[in-house]
């Protein structure tokens, strides 16, 4: 057995030396023809010379397609990891790698902004801002993690003046902190009016926050990055819906979840997810069943703020949207010329009714053009049989801010 293993290592070493003799210009040409960032990572791993020559961050536009953070464990293994997954053209998720910082594998991703992940674990530990591409890590004050829904950043770290906004508590309150501060603070002056927020978005020098009834507040950020509730405004009137979705007094017939997204053309979008709930019975223990509601996304509606009203849009143009509780983002299909997924909305949600029961997936690719969900057999994991379907927390979409490409005479990263 030892001879076989030693022979395999020697054969692998010989093959690696063959690859390392290829001209680097040819290696660069190969990298530019790869459609998946996953394949780019694998290309860098072929041999040491390629790994050191090719930059960590690809400059090819198609490699900037959004990635996904999933908290998972493999079969026959109880240890959880935070894995980075890429979305292929066949709409399957490909495992790329785990987060490089192993100390964060028991943390939950509570958001992503400007390529940085927001990772938290316990109320006594700080919240980490983590860049999975550079392995850089910054800290925010601790917060009760089980009541933390989402954190967003006003600008790209490591700038000194960064406002972090968190959705906190079951009541959906807004709290704020800056890098270097020791505690989070709430809106001043306090008011019961500023509760029930479901999503937040930094757009320009303003903070947008949407409540469950689709009322959107706009908070102005001062020169000192102070956010004062007394200077906020409301984007009125609220979006208009078809009668089939509304009850009297602007109440909804179906559960809805609103997301705020900035389009690639710098517009503020409200993406409304319509959910159907079906009652199911789950065996909690022998001879004991509990009732759960399985959630299924049946439709999305998109509204764009036009300055005086929310306009219901039937087309995203060339945009592709990725929505979820921890993070939502948009990209332009112009950056992916070989792709045909414009006007699509991607969703992957993970939820559980009780801590003792299994998690449920609600995954959906929605075509706004056809006003319908595509087959739910998509968005499966590559080699799904080797994975455990129970993912513990809602996944987060993220991408990185593309660095400036070095000039041809400059050195590579």
């Amino acid at each position: 057995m030892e001879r076989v293993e030693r022979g395999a290592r020697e054969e692998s070493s010989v093959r690696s030396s063959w690859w390392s003799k290829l001209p680097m210009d040819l290696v660069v040409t190969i990298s530019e023809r790869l459609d998946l960032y996953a394949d780019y990572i694998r290309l860098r791993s072929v041999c040491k010379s390629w790994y050191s020559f090719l930059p960590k961050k690809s400059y090819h536009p198609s490699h900037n397609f959004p990635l996904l953070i999933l908290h998972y464990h493999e079969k026959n293994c109880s240890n959880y990891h935070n894995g980075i997954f890429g979305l292929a053209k066949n709409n399957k998720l490909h495992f790329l790698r785990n987060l490089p910082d192993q100390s964060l594998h028991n943390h939950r991703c509570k958001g992503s902004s400007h390529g940085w992940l927001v990772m938290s674990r316990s109320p006594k530990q700080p919240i980490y801002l983590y860049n999975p591409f550079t392995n850089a890590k910054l800290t925010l004050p601790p917060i009760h993690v089980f009541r933390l829904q989402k954190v967003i950043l006003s600008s790209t770290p490591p700038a000194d003046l960064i406002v972090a906004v968190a959705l906190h508590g079951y009541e959906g309150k807004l709290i704020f902190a800056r890098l270097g501060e020791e505690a989070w603070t709430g809106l001043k002056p306090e008011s019961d009016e500023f509760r029930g927020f479901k999503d937040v978005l930094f757009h320009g020098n303003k903070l947008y926050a949407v409540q469950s009834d689709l009322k959107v507040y706009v908070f102005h950020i001062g020169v000192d990055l102070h956010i004062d509730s007394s200077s906020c405004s409301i984007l009125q009137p609220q979006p208009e819906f078809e009668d089939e979705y509304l009850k009297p007094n602007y109440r909804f017939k179906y559960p809805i979840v609103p997301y705020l997204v900035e389009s690639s053309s710098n517009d503020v979008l409200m993406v409304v997810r319509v959910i159907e709930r079906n009652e199911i019975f789950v065996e909690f223990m022998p001879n004991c069943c509990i009732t759960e509601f399985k959630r299924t996304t049946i439709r999305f509606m998109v509204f764009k703020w036009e300055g005086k009203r929310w306009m219901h849009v039937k087309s995203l143009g060339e945009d592709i949207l990725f929505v979820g509780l921890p993070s939502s983002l948009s990209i332009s299909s112009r950056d992916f010329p070989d792709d045909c997924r414009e006007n699509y909305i991607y969703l992957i949600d993970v939820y559980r009714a009780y801590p003792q029961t299994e998690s449920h997936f609600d995954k959906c690719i929605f075509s706004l053009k056809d006003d319908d969900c595509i087959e739910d057999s998509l968005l499966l994991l590559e080699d799904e049989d080797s994975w455990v379907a129970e993912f513990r927390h809602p996944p987060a979409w993220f991408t990185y801010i593309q660095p400036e490409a070095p000039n041809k005479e400059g050195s590579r990263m």
Side-chain angles (χ1 to χ4, degrees):
M1 179 63 70
E2 291 182 2
R3 288 183 179 180
V4 172
E5 292 178 352
R6 185 169 58 251
R9 287 195 298 268
E10 291 175 352
E11 183 179 356
S12 176
S13 177
V14 170
R15 289 179 178 176
S16 179
S17 65
W18 292 345
W19 291 118
S20 64
K21 294 178 181 179
L22 281 179
M24 289 305 172
D25 289 344
L26 179 58
V27 176
V28 172
T29 301
I30 294 173
S31 71
E32 292 174 347
R33 292 178 176 270
L34 298 177
D35 294 320
L36 279 178
Y37 187 62
D39 293 333
Y40 180 79
I41 292 178
R42 291 164 181 151
L43 181 71
R44 291 187 73 230
S45 304
V46 168
C47 60
K48 291 182 178 179
S49 60
W50 292 14
Y51 186 84
S52 60
F53 180 79
L54 292 172
K56 289 182 180 180
K57 301 177 183 179
S58 169
Y59 303 112
H60 196 281
S62 67
H63 296 167
N64 203 24
F65 207 78
L67 303 171
L68 199 68
I69 290 288
L70 278 170
H71 202 221
Y72 76 96
H73 72 82
E74 298 180 64
K75 286 186 176 179
N76 304 319
C77 178
S78 59
N79 295 327
Y80 277 87
H81 304 278
N82 280 301
I84 302 176
F85 292 77
L87 188 61
K89 287 184 179 180
N90 61 0
N91 292 320
K92 284 198 173 184
L93 295 170
H94 294 256
F95 174 75
L96 302 182
R97 61 175 300 176
N98 290 324
L99 288 187
D101 191 334
Q102 295 185 3
S103 66
L104 297 176
H105 282 177
N106 287 323
H107 288 60
R108 307 172 188 180
C109 184
K110 292 295 183 176
S112 69
S113 291
H114 308 285
W116 290 69
L117 305 177
V118 181
M119 309 296 296
S120 62
R121 183 179 181 183
S122 72
K124 297 181 180 180
Q125 293 183 336
I127 294 174
Y128 291 108
L129 304 181
Y130 177 67
N131 190 318
F133 303 101
T134 64
N135 217 29
K137 190 160 61 175
L138 304 171
T139 59
L140 289 170
I143 192 174
H144 198 301
V145 67
F146 297 108
R147 296 183 181 178
L148 179 62
Q149 299 179 38
K150 178 177 183 175
V151 178
I152 62 171
L153 307 177
S154 62
S155 56
T156 306
D160 294 332
L161 296 179
I162 294 179
V163 177
V165 176
L167 285 176
H168 180 246
Y170 302 114
E171 297 176 337
K173 295 181 180 179
L174 297 179
I175 57 175
F176 309 88
R178 292 192 295 186
L179 289 179
E181 293 183 342
E182 296 181 357
W184 294 78
T185 57
L187 282 172
K188 304 294 183 181
E190 294 185 2
S191 171
D192 289 340
E193 179 183 5
F194 304 118
R195 298 173 184 267
F197 290 109
K198 296 299 182 182
D199 200 12
V200 286
L201 169 72
F202 275 114
H203 177 73
N205 199 35
K206 300 175 183 178
L207 173 69
Y208 293 70
V210 60
Q211 293 178 327
S212 55
D213 62 355
L214 306 187
K215 187 183 294 182
V216 178
Y217 288 79
V218 182
F219 300 91
H220 297 267
I221 304 174
V223 178
D224 59 350
L225 299 185
H226 178 71
I227 300 177
D228 190 344
S229 62
S230 62
S231 63
C232 75
S233 57
I234 303 176
L235 301 186
Q236 292 181 330
Q238 290 158 275
E240 296 182 359
F241 281 83
E242 301 166 10
D243 292 340
E244 62 177 299
Y245 292 101
L246 283 179
K247 296 179 180 179
N249 300 322
Y250 205 80
R251 292 186 300 139
F252 297 95
K253 295 180 181 179
Y254 296 90
I256 64 167
V257 180
Y259 303 97
L260 294 175
V261 189
E262 183 179 82
S263 73
S264 64
S265 55
N266 210 36
D267 294 314
V268 175
L269 304 178
M270 185 196 301
V271 182
V272 180
R273 171 185 167 200
V274 183
I275 298 172
E276 185 177 72
R277 297 199 307 174
N278 296 310
E279 187 176 74
I280 59 174
F281 295 95
V282 179
E283 186 175 359
F284 174 60
M285 59 181 65
N287 302 320
C288 178
C289 292
I290 57 177
T291 302
E292 285 189 356
F293 288 94
K294 185 177 181 181
R295 303 188 308 201
T296 304
T297 299
I298 58 175
R299 192 182 180 190
F300 281 98
M301 287 174 281
V302 180
F303 300 87
K304 181 172 72 171
W305 180 247
E306 291 284 355
K308 293 185 178 180
R309 68 184 183 95
W310 290 102
M311 185 180 72
H312 188 186
V313 297
K314 300 298 181 77
S315 172
L316 298 171
E318 297 176 326
D319 272 11
I320 309 170
L321 301 185
F322 301 82
V323 297
L325 174 61
S327 61
S328 299
L329 54 90
S330 69
I331 61 173
S332 174
S333 60
R334 287 176 296 179
D335 296 329
F336 310 93
D338 297 329
D339 213 313
C340 56
R341 290 183 280 195
E342 64 185 28
N343 241 339
Y344 280 9
I345 301 174
Y346 285 81
L347 165 82
I348 300 183
D349 191 18
V350 176
Y351 66 94
R352 60 170 69 190
Y354 305 98
Q356 301 89 345
T357 58
E358 293 184 355
S359 299
H360 297 287
F361 254 135
D362 182 8
K363 50 190 178 181
C364 172
I365 305 175
F366 188 84
S367 170
L368 204 61
K369 178 182 177 181
D370 300 328
D371 196 26
D372 196 12
C373 291
I374 300 175
E375 292 293 331
D376 61 1
S377 60
L378 304 176
L379 286 174
L380 296 175
L381 290 170
E382 180 188 34
D383 302 326
E384 188 159 4
D385 290 341
S386 65
W387 303 90
V388 172
E390 187 224 352
F391 294 90
R392 299 187 64 182
H393 308 292
W397 299 103
F398 76 102
T399 185
Y400 57 84
I401 304 300
Q402 193 68 263
E404 293 184 3
N407 54 42
K408 294 182 179 179
E409 296 180 357
S411 59
R412 294 182 172 267
M413 293 174 59

